Each structure stands twice: as structure tokens, then as C-alpha cells.
Amino acid sequence: MHYPPVSPEADPTREDPADGGVDTLALDPSSERLREAHLHNRQVEARALFAPFFGVTAVLAALITAWAMIGPVRLELVVGWVSLVAFANWAVCRRAIDAAALGASRTARAGSSGAAVAEAVLLALLWSALPTYAFATQPPMVQVVIGGAMAAMIAAAVALAAIPAAAIAWIATLTASLCVAYYLGAGTLDPRVGLTILLVAGAGAFSVTSLTRWTFGQLKAIARITTHAESIRLLLKEYEHRGVGWLWQVDAENRVVYISSRMTALLGRSTTQLIGHSLPAALGGTSALGRTLLARQPFSNLEMELKTRRGTRWISLAGDPIIDVTGQFQGFRGVGQDITEVRKTQERLTNLANMDVLSGLPNRGRVRQLLGEALSDSSGGDTPCAIMFLDLDGFKPVNDTFGHPKGDAVLKSVSQRLVREVGAFGHVGRMGGDEFAIVIKDAQSRRMVETLAERVIAAIAEPYHIDKAEIRIGVSIGCAFGPMDGQSVDDLIQKADLALYQAKAKGRGTCCFFNADMQNEAEDRLKLEQDLKAGIRTGQFRLLYQPLISAADQSLMGFEALIRWHHPTRGIVPPNQFITLAEESGLILELGEWVVDEACRAASCWPENITVAVNISAKQLIFPALPNTVNESIRRHRLQPNRLELEVTESVFMGDSANALDVLKRLRALGVGIALDDFGTGYSSLGYLNKAVFHKLKIDGSFVREATDNRETVAIIQSIVQLAKSFRMTVTAEGVETADEFTRMRDLGCHQIQGYLFGRPMEFDRASELVHGIQQRLIA
């Protein structure tokens, strides 16, 4: 019998009362067709199951009816009718069984319900043809038999319950035939008998129709479940086919029930060698998997290492326990995946994340990890660890002079030398730039650490020959021991950094070990920095002014502005205690801006022949915005640019000299004077004197004092004066304290004199009195 499509009741988008939600899988047209096909297969199977019962019932009812009609009806007619009924039902039964067998061997496919309905109608018409025809001429007893047989055939529609349309068509045809027979025999049939027959037929029709609908609903549910199972099976098959992973299943004893061929290929064993054997044992006897399976809980991302013929492989397993309807544990089923390449990629990424690309050494993050491990071991035992911070001395000029490629080559050589010197004693890492670190797990012997530091300093100090260039640098080292100096990684790193700061302060090529005094100094320095910020904000700074005197006639030419800090609790803080701190903390920009503005304000109150000089830090020259800041102060106080002098020391040429020179040229373009302070005491900057930047050289006070007894110093001063004349520069002698020093400096050719002989640094009011008093005397 042909199968019908899904009836309107099987709307795929309606909510399924079984699961309380929308059947999302049925929303896919292909899934809907698959479900219809599965429903058809279930209908065919149900029809084949009940076909013999249906056929036998029809033939037996026909034989009983024929037996009752023999006599009143011609024998050949009765025999022919029974033969036709028997043959038709045999043919239909045979075809139903064949269709079921054929459907079981093929994939599900859709069909039409029209043939099934037509078949049911034809069978019903064939069976009811003779009884309906002969009903009116039969005696009452035969009519009862005919009515009962037809009622029995109506009840036999239960065999068609899997196909509701066919069952209803069968019942409707028989009921209609019975009604026709009753109508034709109404004159001879007892009304009570007729009503009884109709009642039996109606009750049978109603019951069979209800049963048919329930059966069809069950078939639809089975088809839906089958479709879901089929979809899941196809997805799992695709999962295995694509090589994403494999499937596995074990019983309650952890014995393998199913395992994918990809897994057996990975293990190098056949399926028969694995089925029935313990899964943990088959995977190398790992205890982690055994404990996980014994827990009988869902698990995922269980990574395991396997030894295979192809070498070491890594797999990841996930599984869920199988619980039957009675709540009994039946085993596990799950998926697995070869993650060997994933782990290799992760290891490569981890190495890249933990490695410095240039040197190949552990980077800052990895150094912290190594120090954490060493500190953890030290805290649990009696063996201290140590961290050494290394900062290369004189490396920045290497980049400035030879370029970054040669600088990188030097860093690589430094890395190699450090690794060679440290060896198995510790781990060498690069913190960034020209900073390195050494983590020592066993620092029981302080002397060994000191010896290592000495060897490292000596090794780094050896010359580097890069492309025929000989480069020399040094290294400063700060060291801290754990857990004595610090209980945490951050604490220990901070202590080592403090020790390094102390080593840098002492000079090149030294190693300092942390002590409590360094911590106190660091805390004092931090407190001073906080006070410095507050002092700038609250106006605790003042400018003092020291006179600049003409060597020719001892007239007042200007002042040098000198900053002083009036701290509310510390008192007067000298510049050498806070200027360096301001430079290192970045506060020098804000402080320097205030100094320039205050000096311009003071000069604007004095006559136009009086100048003011301000010291500029090398750190300020790094920032290109300095000329704009100076120009704004000049314009704000309406000061002629040539009345402002900016004094810089020779240290400006030790850093980014090109940038500093550019800033100085822009300042000079404003009309501001540029003086080179403390000339001759530091970095040799003669090459910059011909850049048309400086207008004045200032001779340091140490030369002035030594000139009294040292002829070589006198010769140096004469050379400086002659050099200044060659470049048409003014020369100022600082630190003049006696009349003899004044006379000597004047005779050597100095143009201006500055020192205690003519006045100590004074407040603005006192300086103004001095200016205006001289002015009044000149007027007088």
C-alpha cells in the first residue's frame, strides 16, 4: 500500500507537547522531507504488520456472510464473490509485505496517500457489493448476519490505523453500503435490528477513528525521533569523515564498545584488538582517564599524551555518562581529537611570548615567572635565591654614534657573554632596551654571587668588534636576595632596582647589594617627589638673583636667576637635592616653565639695559615645545627677547644632541641669548661652537680659584677667551670672590664677572633696590 504524506496535523513549526518547544530541526525543508519519508516507512511497516490480520478477517467475514446467503442467492454468485474477496485481500497483503521489505532496504522516500485511499475504497466496495445487493431479499436472520459482518469489517479498520485517510475511507465506504442496504431492506427489516446494526457500526467507526488518530500520532512521534536520530548519525558521520575527531563508547566496566577507525589508525591497532578491552589501558594506562571514568561525571578537554608508532601524540577526550531509563549507569560515550599540532602551535606561541626576539633570551614576563619559581622554592626551604639587574653603561652613545644595527649587534654579543659567564648558575633574561637580569635559584653563597658579578662586569667591559669598529661599554649591577629582601616577585624586583640605582650613582662598572638604607633613601626620595609636586602646585619656590657685573667699569649688566625651594618643614632645600629629582620624575618641565615666566616677570620691572639669565636643564631641551613656552612668557610680560638669556651646560650634547641643537637654534631665532655654562669642565663641545648658537661662554668658578697658583689653568682661561673672541662671544667668569680674582679675570680678557665679590643671590625686592639705586646714582 502506498504511504501518505504528513497530514496537516504534522505542522513542523508547531510546538511539540512532548518537549514543550518548537521542533527546530523540522524547520529545515530537507529535514521535513526526511521526516515525511520516515513516517511513510513506519506506515508501511505497520500496514505490513496488520495486513494478514486484515485479510484473514475480511475473508472469514465473507465466508460467514456467504454461508448465510447460500440458498436465497445463487451459488455461483456467492462463490464468485468470495473468491474475488479472497484474491483481492491476498494480493493486497502480499503487496504490503513486499513494500515493507523493499522500504527496509532503501533510504526513506516520500509518497502519496491517494493510492492507499483508493485501495481501501475498492476493497470496501468489493466486500460490501454482494451483501448490499442481496440484503433486501434476505430473511431477517441473514440480514442480522450481514449487518454484524459489516460491523466487524468496520472494526477491522484498526489494521489501517497507521494510514488515517485509508482507515476513514474504508469505514465510510462500509458504513455507506450498510446504510444503502438498510434503506433497500427497510420494508422487511425490523427497525430495532436495523438501529442495533447502525449503532454497532457507528460505535466501531468512532472507536476505530479515534484509535487511528492516536496510532498515527505515535507514528509521527516515532518518525520525528527517527529523523533526529538520523540527523545526529549523519552529523557524527560527517564529524568523523572530515577528520575533526573520532567517537568512542565504553560499557559500565570501561570496556570499549565502539571506537572510530581514525582512533585505531592513530594507535596502530585494529578495531578487534580494542573492542572489549579497557579504554584507559588501550590509551597507555593513564590514571587520569581511569579516575575520570570512575567518577561517572561528564568531562571535557581531558588531554593525554600517547606513545604511538608515529611518535608522541597528544589527544583530547570528552564524554558523558550513559544512563538508561531505569537510572542505571551503562557506560560512557564521547568524542576525541588529535591536538598534537595545536599543542605545538601553543608551545611556539608560548615561546614567542616568553622570549626576547633580538637576543633569544627570556623576556621580562618570563624572568618574572622564573623569579617566582625560585622564590617559591626558597620560601619552602633554606636556600635563598637572588635577582641581579644589569644596566649597560654608555650604550646610548653607541646607538647615536654607530646606529641601531650595530647597537643591536652589541646587545646580541652582550647576551652571549652573559649566558657564557652565568652558565648553569642561573637564568639570563633581557628586560628590555639595555637592561638585563639574572635569576639565581641557589644563592646560598653570597661570595659566589659577588664573584659572578665581578666576572660579568669584566666580560661586558671587553671591547666589541662590530664591522671593524671597536666599541666599549660597561655594566652596573643591582642585586637582591629572596626571601630576605623581598617576599614577592614585585618586592624583590623593586629591591634589585634600588640596588641598581645605587650602583649607577656610584659610577660605572660596579655592583651593589640591597640593604635597608636603600629602602629608606627610596622612601625619602618618594616623599620628596610628592613634596616637590605639592611645592610647585602651592608656590613654594622662589627665585634669587645674583648680579652680573661689567669687568670694564663694574656696572650692573644683569642677573642670573637661581631657584630656591622654601619647604614648610624641611626649610630651604638646595637645588642639588631636587633638580635631579625633578628631571627624573618629569616635573622639570612644569618647574622650568615657572622659572622662565617668573624671570621674565622680574626683568619686565627693571630698566631695558638689565638682562636676566635662566638655567635650562638638558631634559627640557628634549621637548620641541620649549621655544613656544619661552616665546609665550616673553610676549606675556612684553620683554625684549635679547634681555633673556638661557644657560645650558655641556651635558646637553651627551644625549640627543641633534634634537637639542635644533631646539637651541629655534630659541636663538627668537632673539634669546644662549650661554654655555661651566665651559671646559665636562663633555668636549668645541664642535658645536661654530653652529652660531651660543653668544656667551661662562668659565666655571673652579678655574677662577685655581688660576691664582696654577699657570696651566691661566693658559686654559686664555685659550677659552681667545676661542670666544674667534666666535665673537662674550666671556663671563663665575665664582669671583676676591679683588685679586676680579683683577686677574679682567686682565685675562673676561667681559663679565659674577661672584660673591659683587653680591650674593638676593630676593627680587633687594635686586630691584640695587637696580634702581644704581639708576638714581647715574641720573644724579
Side-chain angles (χ1 to χ4, degrees):
M1 183 174 290
H2 294 289
Y3 46 85
V6 179
S7 66
E9 291 86 344
D11 183 1
T13 62
R14 72 181 179 88
E15 293 190 357
D16 182 11
D19 55 15
V22 176
D23 186 2
T24 57
L25 184 61
L27 296 176
D28 181 9
S30 61
S31 298
E32 175 62 20
R33 289 193 298 270
L34 183 62
R35 191 168 71 178
E36 290 180 6
H38 280 302
L39 176 61
H40 158 68
N41 285 345
R42 301 290 84 75
Q43 289 174 318
V44 170
E45 291 172 0
R47 180 67 182 94
L49 179 65
F50 289 100
F53 162 76
F54 184 83
V56 170
T57 302
V59 172
L60 288 177
L63 288 174
I64 293 173
T65 304
W67 182 24
M69 290 189 300
I70 292 176
V73 181
R74 295 196 307 270
L75 180 62
E76 60 274 16
L77 189 59
V78 173
V79 172
W81 172 72
V82 171
S83 299
L84 286 175
V85 169
F87 176 77
N89 280 276
W90 174 84
V92 169
C93 178
R94 184 65 186 176
R95 198 155 71 89
I97 295 174
D98 290 343
L102 183 64
S105 63
R106 296 184 179 179
T107 56
R109 51 190 176 84
S112 170
S113 64
V117 173
E119 188 177 81
V121 171
L122 290 176
L123 284 176
L125 289 175
L126 176 61
W127 195 97
S128 63
L130 184 61
T132 302
Y133 169 74
F135 185 83
T137 61
Q138 300 301 310
M141 185 59 67
V142 175
Q143 290 177 338
V144 171
V145 171
I146 293 174
M150 295 184 74
M153 291 309 300
I154 290 174
V158 69
L160 302 175
I163 310 172
I168 293 173
W170 170 267
I171 294 173
T173 302
L174 288 179
T175 303
S177 298
L178 183 60
C179 291
V180 170
Y182 177 73
Y183 175 76
L184 294 177
T188 60
L189 181 66
D190 187 337
R192 290 172 295 180
V193 173
L195 290 175
T196 301
I197 293 173
L198 291 178
L199 179 62
V200 171
F206 175 79
S207 300
V208 170
T209 301
S210 300
L211 179 61
T212 297
R213 290 184 177 276
W214 179 85
T215 302
F216 184 68
Q218 295 299 309
L219 290 177
K220 286 196 298 180
I222 294 173
R224 182 164 50 250
I225 294 172
T226 305
T227 301
H228 279 271
E230 179 71 11
S231 299
I232 293 172
R233 185 185 68 81
L234 292 174
L235 289 173
L236 293 176
K237 183 177 180 181
E238 182 72 11
Y239 176 80
E240 290 186 290
H241 177 70
R242 294 292 182 185
V244 177
W246 59 81
L247 307 176
W248 59 272
Q249 182 174 335
V250 296
D251 60 16
E253 301 298 326
N254 296 333
R255 292 187 295 261
V256 178
V257 176
Y258 173 82
I259 194 165
S260 299
S261 58
R262 296 185 63 84
M263 183 58 178
T264 60
L266 177 66
L267 295 174
R269 301 167 68 180
S270 65
T271 304
T272 56
Q273 291 177 309
L274 296 176
I275 297 296
H277 292 79
S278 169
L279 180 63
L283 298 181
T286 172
S287 59
L289 178 58
R291 290 193 301 269
T292 302
L293 294 178
L294 288 176
R296 297 185 177 182
Q297 297 294 325
F299 65 92
S300 62
N301 299 324
L302 177 62
E303 296 186 0
M304 300 169 51
E305 182 181 9
L306 296 182
K307 303 296 183 181
T308 69
R309 296 176 182 176
R310 293 189 294 167
T312 301
R313 310 292 294 180
W314 282 88
I315 64 172
S316 175
L317 296 180
D320 289 294
I322 304 172
I323 308 297
D324 62 16
V325 293
T326 63
Q328 297 297 314
F329 173 74
Q330 298 298 325
F332 269 92
R333 68 166 61 95
V335 297
Q337 188 174 5
D338 187 344
I339 59 170
T340 305
E341 298 303 322
V342 174
R343 282 185 66 93
K344 289 181 179 179
T345 301
Q346 289 176 344
E347 289 175 0
R348 286 194 295 268
L349 292 176
T350 301
N351 288 335
L352 288 175
N354 292 329
M355 182 185 69
D356 175 65
V357 178
L358 177 64
S359 63
L361 298 176
N363 59 14
R364 177 183 292 271
R366 180 56 180 159
V367 168
R368 290 179 59 88
Q369 293 177 2
L370 293 171
L371 181 58
E373 295 169 3
L375 190 59
S376 177
D377 294 341
S378 298
S379 299
D382 298 328
T383 303
C385 65
I387 176 71
M388 302 174 72
F389 268 19
L390 293 77
D391 186 83
L392 299 182
D393 300 322
F395 179 74
K396 191 175 187 308
V398 173
N399 275 336
D400 296 339
T401 305
F402 298 99
H404 288 280
K406 283 188 174 62
D408 291 345
V410 170
L411 290 175
K412 291 180 181 178
S413 298
V414 168
S415 303
Q416 295 168 1
R417 294 185 186 186
L418 288 176
V419 171
R420 183 176 64 249
E421 293 298 329
V422 175
F425 192 60
H427 299 281
V428 180
R430 183 178 177 221
M431 305 300 285
D434 59 352
E435 297 179 350
F436 294 83
I438 300 174
V439 177
I440 303 172
K441 297 192 69 172
D442 184 359
Q444 184 74 39
S445 173
R446 186 184 183 96
R447 180 56 190 160
M448 290 182 63
V449 177
E450 293 175 350
T451 302
L452 175 62
E454 293 171 359
R455 293 204 317 269
V456 166
I457 291 173
I460 300 302
E462 291 293 323
Y464 300 83
H465 298 280
I466 310 294
D467 296 337
K468 299 181 181 180
E470 183 177 284
I471 300 174
R472 292 180 179 272
I473 58 174
V475 65
S476 297
I477 303 176
C479 183
F481 292 87
M484 295 81 72
D485 295 335
Q487 299 289 334
S488 66
V489 171
D490 290 331
D491 195 16
L492 205 55
I493 286 177
Q494 180 190 17
K495 302 299 176 55
D497 200 35
L498 290 175
L500 176 61
Y501 182 82
Q502 186 72 19
K504 297 290 284 188
K506 288 185 177 180
R508 296 186 175 191
T510 59
C511 176
C512 286
F513 293 88
F514 174 79
N515 57 53
D517 292 338
M518 295 180 187
Q519 181 70 25
N520 295 333
E521 291 175 5
E523 293 174 355
D524 290 343
R525 184 173 178 274
L526 179 60
K527 181 63 170 63
L528 187 63
E529 181 179 338
Q530 295 172 345
D531 291 349
L532 183 61
K533 293 179 182 178
I536 296 174
R537 186 175 62 252
T538 57
Q540 296 176 8
F541 291 89
R542 299 289 185 273
L543 288 184
L544 301 182
Y545 302 90
Q546 187 173 28
L548 290 171
I549 304 299
S550 171
D553 58 8
Q554 301 184 27
S555 62
L556 179 63
M557 302 186 69
F559 294 93
E560 179 181 359
L562 302 171
I563 189 169
R564 296 293 184 268
W565 183 7
H566 293 259
H567 194 278
T569 58
R570 299 174 187 261
I572 303 298
V573 181
N576 59 0
Q577 291 187 14
F578 67 84
I579 292 297
T580 302
L581 179 60
E583 290 178 336
E584 294 175 352
S585 62
L587 295 173
I588 192 65
L589 298 178
E590 186 177 357
L591 184 62
E593 183 177 344
W594 176 83
V595 170
V596 170
D597 190 73
E598 179 64 15
C600 290
R601 184 199 65 79
S604 66
C605 300
W606 299 329
E608 293 185 357
N609 64 310
I610 302 299
T611 64
V612 63
V614 175
N615 289 284
I616 296 295
S617 166
K619 297 291 185 180
Q620 292 176 265
L621 293 177
I622 297 176
F623 296 92
L626 179 61
N628 296 336
T629 302
V630 173
N631 189 41
E632 289 177 3
S633 295
I634 292 173
R635 295 178 59 184
R636 183 183 303 112
H637 299 289
R638 300 178 181 179
L639 188 71
Q640 291 296 322
N642 61 357
R643 294 184 59 197
L644 176 65
E645 293 181 359
L646 302 179
E647 297 185 4
V648 297
T649 63
E650 295 172 315
S651 62
V652 299
F653 303 116
M654 297 182 65
D656 190 355
S657 57
N659 185 65
L661 187 61
D662 177 67
V663 173
L664 290 173
K665 287 181 177 179
R666 291 171 55 201
L667 289 168
R668 195 75 178 97
L670 295 176
V672 173
I674 307 294
L676 186 57
D677 199 7
D678 300 335
F679 183 75
T681 61
Y683 182 76
S684 178
S685 55
L686 298 178
Y688 294 95
L689 295 181
N690 62 352
K691 302 295 184 180
V693 174
F694 300 103
H695 85 293
K696 178 188 289 188
L697 297 180
K698 300 188 73 172
I699 300 176
D700 188 69
S702 60
F703 288 104
V704 174
R705 289 186 294 273
E706 293 175 3
T708 304
D709 304 316
N710 194 326
R711 293 184 179 180
E712 293 179 354
T713 303
V714 173
I716 292 174
I717 296 175
Q718 289 175 333
S719 299
I720 294 175
V721 172
Q722 187 61 41
L723 184 65
K725 288 181 179 179
S726 300
F727 289 104
R728 286 178 282 194
M729 297 180 185
T730 301
V731 178
T732 299
E734 297 181 296
V736 176
E737 298 181 356
T738 65
D740 290 339
E741 290 175 349
F742 166 71
T743 303
R744 187 175 298 107
M745 292 300 105
R746 181 191 61 190
D747 295 342
L748 288 175
C750 294
H751 305 94
Q752 293 180 347
I753 304 296
Q754 179 181 351
Y756 288 172
L757 178 63
F758 295 100
R760 292 176 176 271
M762 58 190 72
E763 297 284 348
F764 169 75
D765 294 339
R766 177 72 182 89
S768 297
E769 291 177 3
L770 178 63
V771 170
H772 295 305
I774 294 175
Q775 189 73 14
Q776 290 174 0
R777 286 198 299 270
L778 289 175
I779 294 174

